[in-house]
Amino acid sequence: MDQVKHNYVQVDGLKLHVAEIGSESAPVVLFFHGFPEISYTWRHQMIAVANAGYRAIAPDYRGYGLSDIPAEPEKTSFADLVADTATILDSLAIPKVFVIAKDFGGMVGYIFSLFFPEKLAGIITLGIPYMPPEALQQLQTLPEGFYMRRWREPGRAEADFGRFDAKTVVRNIYILFSGSEVPIASENQEIMDLVEPLAPLPSWFTEEDLETYAASYAKSGFQTAVQVPYRSLLEIVQPPNHGPNDPIVVAPALFITGDKDFFYNFPGMKDYLKSGIEKYVPNLEIIYLLEGSHFIHEQFPDKVNQLLLNFLNRNKY
């Protein structure tokens, strides 16, 4: 990662961190991270796409990573993250991008594509596909101890996380989200209690990786991270001139998931991917990786990098 440059772009009174590598004249690949990730999560992919002749750009969202924390984190929205992205691209004079997004970053990517279709060359999401509002609403029907429902409650995640240092919180989430079971706590448990204190890190996630994340969250805290995505999850972001039956994106699209990803094992998800998603994303290809977890790009970087490059090269602008 020594080759990666670290720049800052002034957006809405905040300094937003942007990691970047590759020639300024090359086609641009814009990376959106999820939670508990930061731009560092794309360390394997940024190098690979830059070596293949692309310019890789990975911002930290406001309140995440090395970016400034907004004055009122509890008011941060998906619309803010999309507006921040547009400002970053304008400041760097970038007219068009491929989007590669992980976890809730896919929601940021698809909302971005709705507002700025002319800027999108293609979109790849990992872990979470496009989810229409009605599908997101269905998540609320899962048990009360479901992690998303718990963390939507004001103060619940803060109290849960606040019992530990940032390193332990990130460690626990990586262990928990690497499993195939949907994280659901019992009535007398919090989400952090689902992880045994002596449980090992996934083999592909090093102590050095953990230290990088820990240092980031020790600085930023988790206030913005629990607001977006969890408390903003049902936010309606409606672009102009887009009808309710119009496709979300007509550009080339790819969804990559592991068969051991807990999100893939959500009730109804397999059926949705087989016969529901095409009306929203008609030009979508879906690829399943055996034994892949929710962090598939970190778990199997070489396999994922090849899939990404195949898509980018097929649709190069």
Side-chain angles (χ1 to χ4, degrees):
M1 288 292 284
D2 292 344
Q3 308 160 61
V4 175
K5 297 184 294 184
H6 297 275
N7 301 314
Y8 289 86
V9 175
Q10 197 78 19
V11 181
D12 197 23
L14 302 172
K15 275 198 318 177
L16 301 187
H17 169 246
V18 180
E20 179 180 349
I21 182 171
S23 168
E24 291 190 3
S25 62
V28 175
V29 182
L30 177 65
F31 290 91
F32 289 127
H33 63 79
F35 174 77
E37 298 143 329
I38 51 177
S39 57
Y40 176 82
T41 196
W42 296 114
R43 57 199 177 279
H44 306 297
Q45 286 69 44
M46 292 183 72
I47 301 298
V49 302
N51 287 343
Y54 295 88
R55 181 183 180 187
I57 294 176
D60 285 330
Y61 306 128
R62 56 171 63 197
Y64 278 82
L66 299 177
S67 291
D68 283 350
I69 303 167
E72 297 178 290
E74 70 280 4
K75 293 184 178 179
T76 305
S77 67
F78 277 98
D80 290 329
L81 305 191
V82 171
D84 291 347
T85 299
T87 302
I88 289 170
L89 294 181
D90 286 346
S91 72
L92 298 175
I94 296 172
K96 196 166 190 175
V97 297
F98 288 104
V99 166
I100 298 179
K102 160 69 171 48
D103 191 70
F104 87 87
M107 296 175 66
V108 180
Y110 273 111
I111 295 170
F112 172 82
S113 71
L114 274 172
F115 277 84
F116 304 100
E118 75 285 355
K119 294 182 182 292
L120 186 73
I123 182 168
I124 303 172
T125 63
L126 294 85
I128 296 182
Y130 172 74
M131 299 283 288
E134 56 269 27
L136 292 172
Q137 288 280 2
Q138 284 187 342
L139 297 179
Q140 295 298 99
T141 66
L142 285 163
E144 179 278 333
F146 174 50
Y147 79 100
M148 285 188 181
R149 291 191 62 182
R150 285 284 180 88
W151 291 349
R152 279 180 58 77
E153 294 180 33
R156 190 75 179 254
E158 291 88 334
D160 188 7
F161 297 173
R163 298 177 292 153
F164 308 97
D165 60 18
K167 182 176 180 179
T168 302
V169 173
V170 174
R171 175 185 176 278
N172 286 353
I173 294 173
Y174 255 86
I175 292 170
L176 188 63
F177 286 10
S178 294
S180 59
E181 298 296 320
V182 178
I184 297 175
S186 64
E187 184 179 352
N188 298 317
Q189 276 184 316
E190 295 299 328
I191 301 302
M192 290 290 100
D193 299 329
L194 293 173
V195 181
E196 292 293 332
L198 297 179
L201 283 170
S203 60
W204 39 265
F205 192 71
T206 69
E207 285 290 339
E208 182 182 2
D209 295 333
L210 180 57
E211 289 289 349
T212 301
Y213 281 92
S216 167
Y217 280 101
K219 167 188 171 290
S220 68
F222 293 93
Q223 304 98 312
T224 314
V226 295
Q227 173 63 25
V228 182
Y230 301 105
R231 293 170 192 162
S232 301
L233 198 60
L234 303 182
E235 171 190 347
I236 302 298
V237 185
Q238 186 62 40
N241 305 318
H242 188 270
N245 297 317
D246 293 342
I248 295 301
V249 60
V250 295
L254 174 65
F255 174 57
I256 304 171
T257 185
D259 66 338
K260 295 294 193 294
D261 187 328
F262 74 89
F263 203 89
Y264 177 58
N265 291 307
F266 274 21
M269 182 57 63
K270 293 174 186 176
D271 289 340
Y272 170 65
L273 291 174
K274 284 180 182 176
S275 59
I277 195 172
E278 69 276 357
K279 73 176 181 179
Y280 303 106
V281 191
N283 295 312
L284 177 70
E285 178 186 6
I286 302 175
I287 295 177
Y288 304 91
L289 288 185
L290 291 177
E291 302 301 317
S293 74
H294 193 59
F295 301 101
I296 198 166
H297 62 302
E298 294 179 285
Q299 180 187 10
F300 297 131
D302 293 340
K303 290 181 182 179
V304 170
N305 291 350
Q306 190 57 59
L307 294 174
L308 301 183
L309 290 172
N310 290 346
F311 178 90
L312 295 173
N313 292 335
R314 281 200 312 270
N315 298 290
K316 199 167 186 178
Y317 62 89

